[in-house]
Amino acid sequence: MNHKEIKKLWFLVNPAAGKHQSIAIMGQIKHELDQLNIQSKIFTSERRGSITDFIQKQNFNDVDGICVLGGDGTINEAVNGLMLSGKSQEIPLGIIPTGSGNAFAETLGVLDPKKAIHNILTGTTSLIDVFKIDDKKKTFFAINIIGWGMAAEVNAFAEKLRWMGGVRYSIASLITVMRMKQKHLKAKLDNSSIEGNTLFFLALNNVHTGKGMQMAPNAVLDDGLIDIILVRKASKLRVLKIFTQLFSGSHIEDPFVEYSQITSFDIKTENDPLNIDGENMGTSPIQVELINKAVRIFGKIRA
């Protein structure tokens, strides 16, 4: 854990995140920083991927860190920019949640934007783990979750319900359970191979996903481990029961839920859609490994 005095920050703003409040919140933050004589520079995203591109091209030698205003997908863009540019350990990343889910910010304990900026201004930083993902075409990164099967289907359906806000994840989950269908999964978890019809596969670096779901209650952001949730087969009624347990994390005690911690995995099945950090991105097959303490963020890690 490091500490530095904050004098100047870059802010990367996603105006489309959540309830479209990022620009207004940025205005409030800038007013507060001006009163504290802290300089701020602002970049506003115009499309998905522009934050990743901006970080790779921009020289940040004159600032004490960069901060994103957005949701989990915006954080993902920033992490990819930092990792692809080789700046991930030297430039701290601040999280100011303005999305609808904000699962990563929930694990950090900074769901309120005002609390988040105060957390950043302490200058305390920590190193956290990141997923390195290889598919057939490229290498990219994730900081929160990789979902397959129902985990990807729920996210795709939730995107159609964006107008509902954060509750859309719960509604999409319930509807997806009622439509429940198994898919064939062929995967390798560390040195163990699995193959067969499966409902749900989710790999997590973070405790939370969706809106308030403690999907991986034992996850720690810097422990060097990937937390795996696997449900191979269960009735609709059983899956509904498991869903109600997600908010407390007690689902990992259910006999139909397999919960493990590993360091790498492969999904070998072809052309299955994936949920990457809450965004519908890419398809299998993929190879994934966890890089320990790869990204520096503002704040303390909560064990």
Side-chain angles (χ1 to χ4, degrees):
M1 190 180 301
N2 287 358
H3 180 85
K4 66 188 298 185
E5 183 181 359
I6 304 300
K7 296 180 179 178
K8 188 176 181 180
L9 294 167
W10 259 108
F11 290 88
L12 314 180
V13 182
N14 179 1
K19 297 180 179 179
H20 304 270
Q21 296 179 328
S22 298
I23 291 177
I25 291 171
M26 184 66 246
Q28 297 168 11
I29 290 171
K30 188 177 188 319
H31 177 71
E32 182 173 351
L33 294 183
D34 288 346
Q35 292 181 319
L36 295 170
N37 293 318
I38 296 173
Q39 296 181 58
S40 56
K41 303 180 77 173
I42 301 170
F43 170 80
T44 303
S45 172
E46 297 178 349
R47 57 173 174 80
R48 180 181 287 188
S50 62
I51 287 177
T52 299
D53 295 340
F54 177 78
I55 290 174
Q56 291 184 85
K57 295 173 184 176
Q58 182 67 35
N59 184 334
F60 294 107
N61 290 339
D62 63 337
V63 297
D64 300 305
I66 60 176
C67 307
V68 291
L69 281 80
D72 294 313
T74 312
I75 299 169
N76 176 277
E77 286 193 43
V79 166
N80 273 273
L82 289 167
M83 290 296 294
L84 292 169
S85 64
K87 305 170 185 174
S88 63
Q89 291 188 330
E90 60 185 82
I91 302 171
L93 175 64
I95 310 299
I96 302 172
T98 60
S100 51
N102 300 314
F104 191 77
E106 184 165 8
T107 294
L108 293 178
V110 290
L111 278 174
D112 177 65
K114 183 175 288 188
K115 181 179 178 181
I117 189 62
H118 291 164
N119 179 61
I120 291 163
L121 295 180
T122 66
T124 301
T125 66
S126 305
L127 288 169
I128 64 170
D129 302 339
V130 68
F131 292 120
K132 176 177 174 285
I133 307 167
D134 289 290
D135 65 13
K136 290 181 176 180
K137 298 179 181 179
K138 63 184 183 299
T139 296
F140 58 107
F141 302 89
I143 202 170
N144 191 355
I145 62 171
I146 301 169
W148 174 94
M150 282 181 62
E153 292 167 20
V154 165
N155 199 65
F157 191 69
E159 189 64 24
K160 299 176 183 178
L161 305 176
R162 182 169 283 274
W163 56 274
M164 298 179 68
V167 72
R168 72 181 191 269
Y169 296 106
S170 297
I171 301 298
S173 297
L174 290 170
I175 293 173
T176 303
V177 169
M178 299 314 296
R179 298 173 175 176
M180 192 172 75
K181 58 182 180 180
Q182 293 182 325
K183 297 184 69 172
H184 187 81
L185 175 65
K186 184 177 181 181
K188 186 176 181 181
L189 311 182
D190 281 344
N191 295 318
S192 299
S193 296
I194 60 173
E195 183 169 6
N197 289 337
T198 305
L199 285 171
F200 193 97
F201 176 91
L202 192 57
L204 299 106
N205 184 38
N206 183 41
V207 171
H208 295 89
T209 189
K211 186 69 174 178
M213 299 177 188
Q214 295 190 55
M215 188 66 72
N218 297 339
V220 180
L221 287 168
D222 64 351
D223 64 356
L225 296 171
I226 303 169
D227 289 53
I228 299 293
I229 302 291
L230 179 65
V231 179
R232 298 179 194 252
K233 185 178 181 180
S235 67
K236 287 183 181 179
L237 190 61
R238 192 74 189 198
V239 175
L240 282 171
K241 180 183 178 184
I242 292 168
F243 170 76
T244 64
Q245 297 170 328
L246 296 179
F247 297 92
S248 66
S250 59
H251 62 288
I252 64 171
E253 306 299 330
D254 191 286
F256 285 84
V257 177
E258 300 176 34
Y259 186 40
S260 58
Q261 293 180 313
I262 60 174
T263 58
S264 65
F265 69 92
D266 300 350
I267 296 177
K268 301 180 184 295
T269 46
E270 296 276 348
N271 299 317
D272 287 334
L274 300 170
N275 169 0
I276 308 290
D277 283 356
E279 299 290 332
N280 305 310
M281 291 194 295
T283 58
S284 59
I286 55 170
Q287 296 178 315
V288 180
E289 64 176 298
L290 198 71
I291 305 177
N292 187 221
K293 297 184 177 181
V295 175
R296 185 172 298 281
I297 65 168
F298 284 107
K300 297 179 181 179
I301 302 302
R302 302 198 303 175

